[in-house]
Amino acid sequence: MSEPNELTHPLTCHLRADGTPLDLAAYRACDGYQGLAAANQLEPSAIVAMVKASNLRGRGGAGFPTGMKWSVLPMGPDAPKPKYIAVNADEMEPGTFKDRLLMEQNPHLLLEGIAICARAVEAETAYIFLRGEYTLCATRLRHAIAEANAAQALGNVHVYLHTSAGRYMCGEETGMLNALEGKRANPRTKPPYPGISGLWGKPTVVNNVETLCNVPAILRHGAEWYQKLSRTTDGGTKIYGVSGRVKRPGLWELPMGTTVGEILDLAGGMQDGLKLRGLLPGGASTAVLTPDHLDVAMDFSAPQKVGSRMGTGTMIILDDRACLVGVVANLIDFFSRESCGWCTPCWSGLGWASRLLDAMEAGKGQPGDIEKLEHLASFWGPGATFCALAPGAADPLRSCIQHFRQDFEDHIREHRCPHEGWDA
Ligand SMILES: Cc1cc2nc3c(=O)[nH]c(=O)nc-3n(C[C@H](O)[C@H](O)[C@H](O)COP(=O)(O)O)c2cc1C
């Protein structure tokens, strides 16, 4: 692998080993804000065309093409005003911790991405919607915003930091818009999409932190360079992560399309004495893969071909001591608690599934419970609910039953958790 540098690792090459953040002077010393300078020489439509040509796709989980998202906003003198940018920095997906790295250690990279986006869509105001627990990010972002404002580095956009009250639903893009407006974070029906009617009914770009952090280098080095960083048709690099009982959990910036096995190797493989049993490739809301899937490329299409998704690209490793019923019970409990209650299949169905799984784990499972769980999850598909929370919960449940059905059957037959005493 090549030494990390600006052309191979545009997101992380300047991060310091001791974790201290780059201040404005340090950021400028490594060509910071030169992407914005390049953008200032271009018409907004040319910036959008460049981002489109780069094949940058959203890093928040759904992978929507970023240039296409920006191109939806009405432009020109008759466009509704003001226009907004809402930066999704909620990062409450269990197992996901990549945006935190970028905000803590290189906050100006995000601010530059916001300023370029603002120029591309002629937005005046940006809100960074930050996970409430990310207090170090908040301190460092506030400092960076003050530095950038004092140096008038951001052009015409005003950037505000909003810390979340702390619900997973606040990360869903329309729930986030409601939360920013001071309302309960229920999702909105779509259409209209935020690009047409977002914050206070005005055109709004909603982008993930990592997505926007990719933009400065695209402006500096071009769309073709960015596309070629990737091994697949989805442009760029990706910050992949690993958590679980591996030797070296952590985060790595790698070419988009790096395989599951290669990422696991960087994490040092499994801890001594443990074997890989399965993995959730991109956070808690992605379908489990098995050791047969180590060759799957982590991009937006290859995991889908084997029934999963790249999601946030941060995998949760399950070892051979893990009780899959316990793992799924824990996840469904989380999704059930975080349901906003807006759709019946979600608030009622997740609660029911959670109680069934808890009972099964406690040795009180009944024959027919697995079929009941499958039946419940069949109501959580895309299109059956206002947002993707319940479809995201269905994926680990359905896939664990598919790949590890024996675990569920053993619990019911033996009236106990066969893994009792293990520290899963
Ligand atoms: C329940 C739920 C929670 C979400 N949480 C986040 C989050 O914390 N951060 C994020 O960027 N996207 C999150 N998303 C995805 C967003 O709705 C949206 O797709 C994303 O912010 C768009 O930005 P992108 O196009 O740059 O990826 C969540 C989605 C759902 C359904």
Side-chain angles (χ1 to χ4, degrees):
M1 202 187 309
S2 55
E3 268 303 294
N5 68 57
E6 172 73 30
L7 291 173
T8 58
H9 296 71
L11 295 173
T12 58
C13 68
H14 299 300
L15 301 190
R16 295 165 170 160
D18 66 0
T20 53
L22 277 71
D23 64 8
L24 180 60
Y27 185 64
R28 280 196 162 138
C30 46
D31 286 340
Y33 289 106
Q34 288 303 313
L36 178 59
N40 286 337
Q41 303 303 313
L42 297 173
E43 290 298 315
S45 59
I47 305 173
V48 174
M50 205 164 164
V51 174
K52 264 189 188 165
S54 74
N55 287 332
L56 168 63
R57 294 178 61 171
R59 306 299 199 233
F64 195 82
T66 306
M68 203 186 291
K69 187 180 275 189
W70 293 6
S71 71
V72 167
L73 274 81
M75 296 294 285
D78 298 332
K81 292 239 178 327
K83 288 186 247 179
Y84 295 102
I85 299 170
V87 182
N88 199 336
D90 199 44
E91 196 156 75
M92 264 190 74
E93 173 86 359
T96 299
F97 47 105
K98 66 187 179 66
D99 296 339
R100 174 179 171 180
L101 173 85
L102 293 167
M103 291 185 284
E104 279 184 359
Q105 299 194 27
N106 204 356
H108 282 285
L109 182 64
L110 175 60
L111 297 184
E112 187 181 1
I114 293 171
I116 295 169
C117 175
R119 176 154 174 92
V121 302
E122 295 174 340
E124 293 96 349
T125 306
Y127 295 101
I128 302 174
F129 188 95
L130 181 68
R131 178 176 179 167
E133 290 92 339
Y134 279 5
T135 50
L136 187 58
C137 292
T139 307
R140 293 182 173 180
L141 281 167
R142 271 196 203 102
H143 181 72
I145 293 168
E147 273 189 316
N149 285 342
Q152 297 186 321
L154 298 178
N156 293 331
V157 67
H158 295 280
V159 180
Y160 298 95
L161 184 68
H162 177 102
T163 50
S164 172
R167 297 294 299 193
Y168 180 54
M169 265 309 300
C170 295
E172 195 282 330
E173 59 182 5
T174 57
M176 182 176 72
L177 299 178
N178 278 335
L180 277 168
E181 289 182 12
K183 299 174 187 150
R184 193 184 156 129
N186 290 345
R188 298 177 180 178
T189 40
K190 292 190 269 192
Y193 289 92
I196 301 298
S197 175
L199 272 176
W200 296 285
K202 302 294 183 189
T204 303
V205 171
V206 179
N207 269 143
N208 166 261
V209 168
E210 185 187 352
T211 309
L212 289 167
C213 285
N214 276 278
V215 174
I218 295 174
L219 268 289
R220 271 211 310 282
H221 304 300
E224 201 183 329
W225 160 80
Y226 186 78
Q227 171 57 62
K228 282 191 182 148
L229 278 179
S230 161
R231 292 191 193 168
T232 75
T233 50
D234 307 324
T237 57
K238 175 81 192 79
I239 301 188
Y240 296 109
V242 180
S243 62
R245 291 196 185 101
V246 291
K247 290 203 178 103
R248 277 194 313 274
L251 295 164
W252 297 269
E253 182 182 5
L254 299 165
M256 176 69 82
T258 302
T259 65
V260 171
E262 288 168 313
I263 298 166
L264 192 52
D265 283 347
L266 282 169
M270 303 304 295
Q271 289 176 10
D272 290 339
L274 296 179
K275 287 202 188 82
L276 174 67
R277 204 165 174 222
L279 58 110
L280 301 159
S285 62
T286 54
V288 72
L289 298 178
T290 70
D292 292 340
H293 296 124
L294 292 179
D295 288 338
V296 172
M298 287 279 275
D299 68 1
F300 291 104
S301 53
Q304 282 185 344
K305 290 188 190 128
V306 291
S308 191
R309 293 185 304 122
M310 176 171 73
T312 61
T314 44
M315 58 177 85
I316 301 171
I317 297 295
L318 305 171
D319 58 79
D320 56 348
R321 292 182 61 124
C323 166
L324 265 297
V325 172
V327 168
V328 173
N330 188 24
L331 293 179
I332 297 298
D333 180 46
F334 169 79
F335 289 120
S336 164
R337 273 187 288 115
E338 294 298 324
S339 170
C340 73
W342 201 237
C343 328
T344 306
C346 186
W347 73 262
S348 169
L350 282 169
W352 193 0
S354 177
R355 287 189 293 278
L356 275 173
L357 285 160
D358 285 346
M360 198 181 282
E361 179 64 353
K364 294 180 189 144
Q366 299 293 324
D369 279 358
I370 301 175
E371 291 71 21
K372 272 187 203 154
L373 288 168
E374 287 173 322
H375 184 61
L376 283 169
S378 73
F379 295 105
W380 306 339
T385 53
F386 277 107
C387 86
L389 188 147
D395 281 350
L397 175 60
R398 267 204 294 243
S399 58
C400 282
I401 293 177
Q402 181 195 341
H403 293 299
F404 302 103
R405 196 179 184 99
Q406 192 65 48
D407 271 41
F408 294 78
E409 286 173 352
D410 288 349
H411 277 71
I412 294 170
R413 197 189 51 253
E414 294 182 27
H415 287 291
R416 68 184 186 95
C417 170
H419 309 288
E420 236 167 353
W422 291 7
D423 54 351

